[in-house]
Amino acid sequence: MDLEVIENTWITLRDGTRLAARIWLPEGTRSRPVPAVLEYIPYRKRDGTRGRDEPMHGYFAQNGYAAVRVDIRGTGESDGHLADEYLKLEQDDALEVIDWIAAQDWCSGNVGMMGKSWSGFNCLQVAARRPAALKAILTCYSTDDRFRDDIHFMGGCLLNDNLWWGSIMLAYQSRPLDPEIAGEGWRARWLDRIATMPFFPALWTAHQSYDAYWKHGSVQEDWSAIQCPVMVVGGWADSYTNSVPRLLEKLQVPSRGIIGPWGHVYPHDGIPGPAIGFLQEAARWWDYWLKGVDSGIMDEPQLRAFINDPVAPTGTRDVQLGHWVGEGRWPTSAIGTKVLHLHATGALSGEPDPEDAPLPVRSPQDHGRAAGEWMGTGCAGEMPTDQRLDDGGSLNFTTPVLAKTVEVLGAPELLLQLASDVPVAQLRVRLCDVLPSGEVLRVSYQVLNLTHRDSHENPTPLEPGRTYRVKITLSACGHRFLPGHRIRVLIGTAYWPAI
């Protein structure tokens, strides 16, 4: 199919701001309008994501959709200033963009919205605003909770990723506008953009609890606000996976979810592999909800998930062994629940410890050197390595050698009874697979600022010496512990350089 590619067009908003858009149109849409798919992000369509945009949006156009890629206000060649992430103004602009798309002569009036990371976030946020023309969304590597599951804080602990991510945004925003698109005034607009640019990491670090700043844009505040169908995608090597099972459970609209082994890349480029035909899956989703074609996607399991098999814990992993499962509804009871107890002897057993003796732990501050990156992106050296490097700085609890396979899908929980000698303390919990070779593979983990033990919204200091019961919910995972392996839980009080 021949395509019409519009390199740049201006979408003029009511306040006079112009947003820069690139559009792919199937042949003949001027006389036969088609549904449209919008991706709305700040990463510079002209040079930042161009190599990724071309095959993806070209594919949608080849399959009968108008594909529209828009740089949000203050980014790329678009007018205005980018003052922060996920502002209400960003959402307001998106509502106008969707109305503009639906009114074009090449659009049937049905619009879908898709995206990964930032644009996955604003898919959810804009859907909660209920624009009339938005009929479905497809959100990848995003979250319903901006405080608990984003790049700034984890378990109430400040992530060091907060700094590098803010630095990347400074780098993106410091690039000049393209004179070919922006025209003669490009230099003045560029210098003005630089002069008004905030220091992003400081904005985020200023809010160290779940306050109104983070509640804005966290769709968990009102699940019922989203009234269009939602497909949600995550990857075990990525850091935005916890929201997939939560969204499937909490949303009150038709939904489908996919979790693969991947890092923070679209699944058709999925690393670690195996990648999938994600563009084909997306087209099936759009066919059903934007064209009214029964593609069969709504007859399939609500959640399709990849269950990882144990592999050598190397920092670079191009391929992940495992298998796919389908869960008709989420949450599922198909796998069942396995309860294990920590013993003062270091055992991990199905029976409670009759002694229930206290165990002290104070991890060295460099504990966490085997953690890998908080967010995998398919780069070399970013995966967690052999955990034995860190095991000496933690309390370790291990099962006997397994006689049968134990399969985990979901978010493991650990209930602890603990006391601290200081009012502010951190906790780090790892769930690991001990291979027959002795190597230790991290399966899941979580960190917790213990002042946030009861609430991320209202942290309270610990009373030294007082005993507390604390529940830690680890990150969602899909893993198969094989016969001959052992399950290990490890508890520490630091996790540098992650937090």
Side-chain angles (χ1 to χ4, degrees):
M1 178 187 294
D2 291 333
L3 303 180
E4 177 186 353
V5 180
I6 302 171
E7 180 61 33
N8 188 78
T9 193
W10 299 108
I11 301 174
T12 303
L13 306 178
R14 283 191 289 270
D15 66 359
T17 300
R18 301 176 309 160
L19 302 186
R22 191 170 187 229
I23 302 174
W24 293 255
L25 296 175
E27 183 182 20
T29 54
R30 307 292 181 177
S31 56
R32 297 187 304 277
V34 296
V37 175
L38 166 66
E39 187 180 23
Y40 175 68
I41 44 178
Y43 302 140
R44 301 176 59 95
K45 66 178 176 60
R46 184 73 164 168
D47 55 12
T49 60
R50 190 179 184 90
R52 185 205 71 186
D53 293 345
E54 193 67 37
M56 182 167 70
H57 294 304
Y59 179 87
F60 294 142
Q62 289 282 354
N63 282 270
Y65 294 92
V68 184
R69 165 70 174 85
V70 177
D71 279 338
I72 69 174
R73 181 188 293 252
T75 71
E77 279 63 57
S78 292
D79 295 345
H81 299 287
L82 180 69
D84 201 352
E85 299 174 317
Y86 316 123
L87 296 173
K88 181 178 180 295
L89 181 58
E90 177 184 325
Q91 300 171 20
D92 293 343
D93 290 350
L95 301 182
E96 290 196 53
V97 168
I98 290 170
D99 286 346
W100 181 90
I101 293 170
Q104 300 307 298
D105 60 4
W106 39 259
C107 182
S108 67
N110 289 343
V111 179
M113 193 171 179
M114 70 170 293
K116 173 179 75 71
S117 198
W118 190 309
S119 51
F121 278 52
N122 64 34
C123 282
L124 292 167
Q125 295 161 2
V126 172
R129 300 286 299 275
R130 305 179 189 175
L134 186 64
K135 305 303 182 183
I137 65 170
L138 199 170
T139 175
C140 303
Y141 313 126
S142 63
T143 187
D144 55 324
D145 185 336
R146 292 185 54 215
F147 183 75
R148 183 168 39 158
D149 280 314
D150 196 10
I151 201 165
H152 315 299
F153 292 89
M154 184 178 187
C157 301
L158 178 64
L159 287 164
N160 278 320
D161 299 75
N162 183 77
L163 180 59
W164 74 251
W165 169 237
S167 301
I168 284 179
M169 283 309 298
L170 291 171
Y172 265 107
Q173 288 301 96
S174 297
R175 298 182 193 176
L177 291 75
D178 189 332
E180 187 175 331
I181 300 295
E184 292 184 0
W186 70 270
R187 182 177 175 82
R189 290 173 58 198
W190 173 38
L191 294 177
D192 182 54
R193 183 176 291 180
I194 290 174
T196 56
M197 183 166 48
F199 182 58
F200 293 102
L203 294 178
W204 307 322
T205 308
H207 298 272
Q208 299 199 9
S209 62
Y210 185 57
D211 58 11
Y213 178 86
W214 301 113
K215 290 178 182 180
H216 166 75
S218 293
V219 297
Q220 67 171 0
E221 289 293 301
D222 182 7
W223 298 106
S224 66
I226 295 179
Q227 294 192 350
C228 68
V230 176
M231 176 179 276
V232 55
V233 177
W236 299 131
D238 184 49
S239 47
Y240 293 98
T241 307
N242 293 321
S243 58
V244 177
R246 283 202 302 264
L247 286 162
L248 295 181
E249 179 180 359
K250 300 294 187 179
L251 287 174
Q252 301 163 26
V253 295
S255 60
R256 287 295 181 268
I258 302 173
I259 307 176
W262 322 295
H264 202 72
V265 291
Y266 274 120
H268 55 285
D269 295 322
I271 298 176
I276 64 169
F278 170 70
L279 300 182
Q280 290 83 351
E281 289 295 297
R284 293 175 66 219
W285 179 253
W286 301 132
D287 285 350
Y288 193 95
W289 294 110
L290 302 186
K291 290 182 179 178
V293 175
D294 189 353
S295 61
I297 198 162
M298 297 309 294
D299 299 325
E300 296 173 357
Q302 187 185 23
L303 174 64
R304 288 173 286 171
F306 191 85
I307 304 298
N308 290 341
D309 279 346
V311 295
T314 55
T316 300
R317 196 174 308 153
D318 296 328
V319 176
Q320 172 63 55
L321 302 178
H323 66 282
W324 288 93
V325 297
E327 301 297 337
R329 293 294 301 171
W330 187 266
T332 179
S333 59
I335 295 178
T337 301
K338 187 174 183 66
V339 178
L340 298 173
H341 299 269
L342 312 180
H343 287 241
T345 60
L348 188 61
S349 165
E351 300 297 327
D353 183 2
E355 297 182 24
D356 197 25
L359 296 174
V361 59
R362 179 179 292 171
S363 302
Q365 288 303 300
D366 63 351
H367 185 65
R369 290 174 294 164
E373 297 288 344
W374 174 78
M375 182 178 75
T377 57
C379 297
E382 67 186 6
M383 301 290 282
T385 55
D386 191 337
Q387 297 296 289
R388 288 179 294 184
L389 182 64
D390 290 329
D391 286 1
S394 59
L395 294 175
N396 306 335
F397 305 89
T398 310
T399 65
V401 172
L402 299 176
K404 297 181 179 179
T405 296
V406 176
E407 194 164 290
V408 177
L409 176 60
E413 294 179 344
L414 179 64
L415 184 63
L416 291 177
Q417 186 168 282
L418 58 83
S420 172
D421 59 349
V422 291
V424 178
Q426 296 173 341
L427 196 67
R428 188 271 306 127
V429 176
R430 287 177 285 153
L431 173 66
C432 293
D433 188 333
V434 182
L435 282 57
S437 64
E439 296 170 295
V440 181
L441 173 71
R442 196 187 73 193
V443 173
S444 181
Y445 78 107
Q446 186 55 264
V447 297
L448 179 63
N449 177 342
L450 285 169
T451 69
H452 290 238
R453 64 196 175 277
D454 297 320
S455 168
H456 290 306
E457 186 172 357
N458 298 298
T460 55
L462 297 158
E463 181 183 329
R466 178 183 171 185
T467 298
Y468 298 90
R469 287 175 65 84
V470 177
K471 184 175 76 172
I472 301 97
T473 301
L474 280 68
S475 292
C477 59
H479 185 81
R480 186 163 63 159
F481 294 89
L482 298 176
H485 293 230
R486 291 178 291 162
I487 301 172
R488 178 171 290 170
V489 171
L490 307 100
I491 300 170
T493 60
Y495 213 37
W496 177 268
I499 61 172

